[in-house]
Amino acid sequence: MGRTSRSLGPAGTMIGFAAGWASRRTAQVHRRGHSIDPLTRLPDRRALLVAAERCITRMRAQDRGCGLLLVDLARFRSINDALGHAVGDRLLEVSAHRLREMFHGGPPEAPSSAGRPVPGDSGSPVVARIGCDEFAVLFPQVDDTASLRGLAAGVLRRLAEPVRLDGLHLTLEASVGICTFPEGAHDAETLLRHADAAMACAQRRHSMVELYDEARDIDTPERIGLLGDLRRALEQAEIQLHYQPIVSMDGRVTALEALLRWNRPGHGQVPPNEFIGLAESSGLMPQLTGYAVDRAAAQLSWWRSHGLRIPVAVNIAPSDIIGPGFAEQVIATLSRHRVPPRALGLEITERQLLDDPGRAADTLAELRRHGVRISLDDFGTGYSSLSRLCDLPIDEIKIDRSFVSEMASDDHEAAVVRCSVELAHTLGLTAVAEGVEDHRTWRRLRTEGIDAIQGWLICAAMPPDRTTAWLLHRPPPQPVPAG
């Protein structure tokens, strides 16, 4: 990965210590031999490390590569809690059987110097269970990542096949992280750690499969530095909120969406997806959300004192709504700034509701009882069933820009928007279109009955002072051009 031997200062000292510790750890694993997971009878984490280190040694001598898939079963703990540990154990056994079957049960076991069999010595794939709901598959002689992505897709399809247990039909979803030697790691411990980082990235991005990318690894010196600066930025109020108007079809401003912006000293603007993703993966998201709600409430208080009574919407994350006391914290923040709850809106995506839908719905319902408006963002890109949508305590859906931006030239996308609007109105909800950039799309949205729009056609997100000027001095609404 382009490492050099020159001194890297304190960060380099830390990396050198970690590498030395990893080397000693792997040596201890070799001395102990491998062990077997008692439930699935698969090799465990210790055995996988032995197999990976032996594989890396062989592949290095042959100037070839190897790869590791790390598989995490989504929402397994929720299933375990709801249906009991016996059902959870059966699901793990079924998953292990399917993985073993896919890869021919792993290789014949060869005797080690300790007299115990060592997985992987024959050069075949090794399937292991390395955690409560985590499995790994080690592949020797891998020369390209495309083949590993194909294998990962096959694993996801196989695991997603319904399981019938005690009269229940259960379906498992999973996330897969991929790391390869020598591109992504040079030893067994790092191979496993980087595959875990890729798997966490797949969970954050809801992409199901991700290849390890050092640029997205929060454990690199660069990411550790970025995280430290992000913490400092929150403490020193360096992160700004910019505001983008949401406008009804008759030209009235119905709300403003608050969007986070960070100008990192000495580095310039940091893309929101980068630092928000870092906050999610590092456990900093509650502080970031609390900061955003506090800044939005302070700005709302100022605007209201100057006669501008436009509601503001703030985006929230899965860790927010399933965290304890989130609703109380939001209401307390509004009370401290003397802002009525009806002046604040919260936006959450469909996908965020899947992790713990019951707790999420309870939190949203509590917020809504106080008067906070709830929007379902990026509508159409998630997996909500109609029954779940009917049960959600929401006021509004925001149709994703991926449908809106193409609807003027694509009848299929226009049909999706039309059905979404009709569904929203049937359920008594408001429908907002995101990503509106031209009058042609605006005209098409008007024919489909959309309630409000948001996008560059109105204006880009602006800092508070420019937003204030825009609200006070913008020209009166103009009719949409015909044609």
Side-chain angles (χ1 to χ4, degrees), residues 26 30 49-66 121 138 140 181 186-188 191:
T26 303
H30 274 294
L49 285 170
V50 172
E53 197 60 44
R54 289 172 178 257
C55 178
I56 287 173
T57 300
R58 290 198 312 272
M59 295 303 103
R60 185 180 285 118
Q62 299 174 25
D63 197 25
R64 300 195 66 179
C66 59
D121 274 5
L138 174 69
F181 163 82
H186 292 279
D187 60 71
L191 186 72

Side-chain angles (χ1 to χ4, degrees), residues 134 153 168 179 194 213 215-216 227 304 352 354 452:
E134 290 183 344
L168 297 173
C179 186
H194 286 180
D213 181 353
R216 293 200 295 258
L227 180 59
R304 291 175 67 84
Q352 292 171 350
L354 295 178

